Amino acid sequence: MLRARVALNPAAVVAPVSRRTFGSFVEHMGRCVYTGIYEPDHPLADEDGFRTDVLALARELGVTMVRYPGGNFVSGYRWEDGVGPRGQRPRRRDLAWRSIETNEVGIDEFAKWAEKADVEIMYAVNLGTRGVQEALDVHEYINHPEGTALSEQRRANGAEKPYGIKVWCLGNELDGPWQTGHKTPEEYGLLAASTARALRSAEPDLELVACGSSSSSMPTFGTWESTVLEHAYDVVDYVSCHAYYEEHDGDLGSFLASAVDMDFFVNSIVATADAVGARLKSTKKINLSFDEWNVWYLSRFQNAPLPEEWKVAPRVIEDRYNVADAVVVGNLLISLLRHSDRVTAACQAQLVNVIAPIMTEPGGPAWRQTIFHPFAKTAALAKGDVLRLHIDAPTYETAKYGPAPLVDAVATHDAATGDVTLFAVNRDVANPVEFGVDLSALGAGLTVAESWTLTDDDVYASNSKDAPERVTLRPLTDVPGGAITVDGGAVTLSLPRVSWTAIRFTR
Ligand code: AHR
């Protein structure tokens, strides 16, 4: 059996785990909002029309922050359409997803949902078709306490207290030619800087996110961030990153190594941002908000044009996820955690129905996709500090990334409880890998408290409405190819082929 090794050192701290790593995304797109979080006619809807089954799953998922209301949608959105008496709200065309937006849900409703789900809102303003004034207006509506036209309008609409949203995205993917209001980096840098300055005049301690690249394959990757930050460095806190991964043409090996690209993305943009900071002689650091990431079979979407007919909440990109997809999602979380010193916010895109961990049927059940499981366990078990690991692992050849390590992992150490949790993937498509974990630097007496593994004989197995528990987590010792051997401070794990595992040690 191939062998990998790692030694955990509690003094090698990357950074504390940022709870905002476990963010998600609700866009007015497809069935994410309508028949996703909101379905007033559903038997399980609450007094506000929210599906309580979806709320319960969102809480179980451990989501901490939700980006809203888009996405490509936001670049044509008029926020004021979504406030006030429902009967008077206009129906509009959403050009991004060629659908009808009824505006039944707007910021007041979403803020209610967020309170029930116990999540922070990350709010995106429209810098596609709109500009500084509209950003100031929506900020006044959302965050100004009282005594002005828009804050009083909010109060009249039932929200006496301001929502106090801290994190604001300055537009969405404006580097992408598909974006309504697509801009050059100079145009966007200037607009982002003036919008940021105006928002800061209203509320100085907002946390502002400038748009970065929509993917590491964009032709402007790196130069976009550099130009934008030349204009906006002093007035923004984050630059965003977006990345989606899929298996292409049966190349499972490359797909399983997707986190290699995420590591490259993060390292490149940290270097780019720091280079701009150095040129500006600034001591400030710009952090990364990885506010759209996931597995998305984008090529299937690109090959199937949006429907001709303008519909409310059409079924759009309802990808059904398999075991391999879940292993990749778990590995992408490993990558995000590994970079916790600079990636301090992240949002899996999206939460419900649209490339999502939670699926629903209108009038019917809600269930967990395979990708739900690694997210929920990582959110629950990653506590305290992220530890820097040097993993000694054999490599395998991938068509896309060259040689990639067979095992990838990250660990967290909670000094308050002494618990240590290791998150690991085996990317080998055929065989288990032995993973030796040296815990001796953490002192004597650690024992295995729990272990959870996602794997299956069929790497393409998935969950569905009729088989919602087909793929789930099991203890590592209960899965074929899985084993744990403890010998003092030396632990040996056998990680099954194509698997994701979390293992918590305690005293
Ligand atoms: O999440 C789906 C879409 O992907 C978002 O609307 C957009 O920002 C990205 O291209």
Side-chain angles (χ1 to χ4, degrees), residues 208-219:
L208 302 178
V209 186
C211 290
S213 291
S214 306
S215 134
S216 64
S217 62
M218 294 298 288

Side-chain angles (χ1 to χ4, degrees), residues 24-266:
S24 188
F25 177 32
V26 167
E27 175 167 8
H28 283 251
M29 173 179 179
R31 299 193 307 113
C32 188
V33 172
Y34 305 111
T35 72
I37 62 168
Y38 177 79
E39 189 178 344
D41 298 337
H42 193 277
L44 296 176
D46 68 10
E47 68 287 359
D48 293 312
F50 298 124
R51 286 185 63 147
T52 53
D53 51 352
V54 172
L55 270 169
L57 286 173
R59 284 191 217 102
E60 183 185 321
L61 188 59
V63 168
T64 53
M65 181 179 73
V66 177
R67 184 165 174 253
Y68 176 84
N72 295 347
F73 168 81
V74 83
S75 295
Y77 181 51
R78 293 178 249 211
W79 67 270
E80 60 274 34
D81 288 348
V83 300
R86 274 219 174 94
Q88 290 167 25
R89 297 186 194 176
R91 287 162 74 90
R92 300 270 190 202
R93 292 177 310 184
D94 163 27
L95 299 182
W97 304 110
R98 206 183 158 76
S99 50
I100 296 294
E101 172 56 51
T102 63
N103 284 304
E104 275 169 84
V105 171
I107 183 59
D108 293 316
E109 290 78 20
F110 187 70
K112 266 192 198 145
W113 182 86
E115 198 180 344
K116 292 179 188 197
D118 193 21
V119 298
E120 176 183 7
I121 300 173
M122 170 190 251
Y123 191 83
V125 300
N126 173 0
L127 291 188
T129 58
R130 303 190 122 186
V132 180
Q133 184 58 60
E134 293 90 346
L136 282 172
D137 287 350
V138 69
H139 174 269
E140 181 185 330
Y141 186 89
I142 288 177
N143 271 10
H144 195 82
E146 60 185 334
T148 65
L150 293 170
S151 58
E152 288 303 322
Q153 195 182 328
R154 180 199 70 238
R155 298 179 79 221
N157 290 338
E160 202 195 312
K161 297 258 181 293
Y163 294 125
I165 295 178
K166 279 281 164 240
V167 189
W168 292 67
C169 300
L170 304 169
N172 177 70
E173 290 190 353
L174 286 149
D175 64 324
W178 59 86
Q179 199 71 208
T180 309
H182 164 58
K183 296 184 174 26
T184 66
E186 284 79 13
E187 287 166 345
Y188 174 71
L190 289 168
L191 178 59
S194 37
T195 309
R197 274 191 202 100
L199 287 170
R200 283 206 191 287
S201 316
E203 194 176 344
D205 61 349
L206 293 177
E207 296 178 48
L208 302 178
V209 186
C211 290
S213 291
S214 306
S215 134
S216 64
S217 62
M218 294 298 288
T220 50
F221 180 67
T223 55
W224 171 274
E225 285 82 354
S226 182
T227 308
V228 167
L229 289 176
E230 291 281 354
H231 293 293
Y233 199 91
D234 288 344
V235 282
V236 301
D237 305 283
Y238 293 94
V239 63
S240 75
C241 309
H242 291 182
Y244 293 102
Y245 301 95
E246 66 182 300
E247 183 182 341
H248 286 283
D249 306 321
D251 182 3
L252 182 57
S254 294
F255 176 51
L256 290 168
S258 296
V260 169
D261 178 73
M262 186 178 253
D263 289 339
F264 166 80
F265 199 140
V266 170

Side-chain angles (χ1 to χ4, degrees), residues 285-428:
K285 290 283 184 223
I286 299 288
N287 283 330
L288 272 51
S289 169
F290 220 118
D291 48 42
E292 283 188 37
W293 67 268
N294 205 351
V295 172
W296 174 11
Y297 286 83
L298 181 59
S299 53
R300 288 182 205 154
F301 168 69
Q302 285 164 337
N303 293 330
L306 288 163
E308 279 290 298
E309 201 189 338
W310 293 87
K311 282 173 73 175
V312 177
R315 288 185 188 259
V316 187
I317 59 168
E318 300 198 0
D319 287 10
R320 182 163 163 178
Y321 291 114
N322 59 42
V323 170
D325 299 330
V327 172
V328 169
V329 161
N331 199 166
L332 296 173
L333 281 163
I334 288 172
S335 171
L336 291 170
L337 284 171
R338 170 163 51 235
H339 296 290
S340 289
D341 52 339
R342 298 301 290 271
V343 182
T344 52
C347 304
Q348 188 184 36
Q350 299 187 4
L351 182 66
V352 193
N353 291 328
V354 176
I355 46 171
I358 302 170
M359 291 301 292
T360 68
E361 266 307 308
W367 67 97
R368 302 166 192 81
Q369 293 234 56
T370 58
I371 63 169
F372 184 99
H373 297 292
F375 189 110
K377 275 294 169 212
T378 308
L381 296 179
K383 299 252 174 72
D385 292 327
V386 180
L387 302 184
R388 195 175 307 284
L389 303 188
H390 294 286
I391 305 163
D392 178 10
T395 57
Y396 69 113
E397 201 51 36
T398 67
K400 211 163 174 184
Y401 308 113
L406 273 179
V407 171
D408 194 15
V410 75
T412 60
H413 174 229
D414 186 353
T417 60
D419 286 7
V420 179
T421 305
L422 181 74
F423 304 90
V425 289
N426 175 9
R427 296 166 171 162
D428 196 318

